[in-house]
Amino acid sequence: MNSKMLVFSNAVAGQDDAFNDWYDNTHLADVAEVPGVVRGERYEIVPSALGGGGEPAHRYLAVYELSGDPEDVAKAFGAKAATGEIKLSPTLDMSTLSVQIWRARDTGSSAD
């Protein structure tokens, strides 16, 4: 099953350097150790002249590739967070955090 966990986030005001240091050097590896997480990559918004909507709600995005049942991965992530194996940084703005798991659509085969 092909699925991705998308994590949209922001740093607490004035804490971008410390936030990125924690995310890049600690958190990304901690999440990658969750059973069912294959790997993760981070992105930052690119200011664009494409227009539409003004300032984006999030500056940072992490995309994690998952294997197996996404519900099992979510439970494993929650368990590691509950035990403190995954620690969150005070530089993470929890009020804007958005996490979703997306699954590839099965469009079937139309080959005749």
Side-chain angles (χ1 to χ4, degrees):
M1 181 179 305
N2 183 7
S3 57
K4 309 273 191 228
M5 181 169 65
L6 304 181
V7 180
F8 294 89
S9 61
N10 292 307
V12 170
Q15 295 293 313
D16 285 80
D17 289 343
F19 171 77
N20 287 316
D21 181 61
W22 161 75
Y23 212 119
D24 292 339
N25 297 307
T26 302
H27 191 63
L28 202 60
D30 287 348
V31 175
E33 290 186 15
V34 172
V37 176
V38 176
R39 66 178 180 182
E41 289 184 301
R42 289 196 66 221
Y43 301 87
E44 62 186 341
I45 194 81
V46 175
S48 172
L50 293 177
E55 186 70 22
H58 299 94
R59 178 152 184 201
Y60 301 104
L61 167 66
V63 179
Y64 297 95
E65 181 180 335
L66 308 180
S67 66
D69 184 340
E71 294 293 329
D72 291 342
V73 177
K75 287 177 188 170
F77 182 86
K80 282 186 170 279
T83 64
E85 290 178 73
I86 294 178
K87 293 181 174 73
L88 298 181
S89 170
T91 63
L92 170 63
D93 183 351
M94 291 297 291
S95 71
T96 64
L97 184 67
S98 177
V99 181
Q100 302 95 28
I101 295 179
W102 294 71
R103 176 177 33 236
R105 288 192 36 84
D106 181 6
T107 59
S109 176
S110 60
D112 293 342

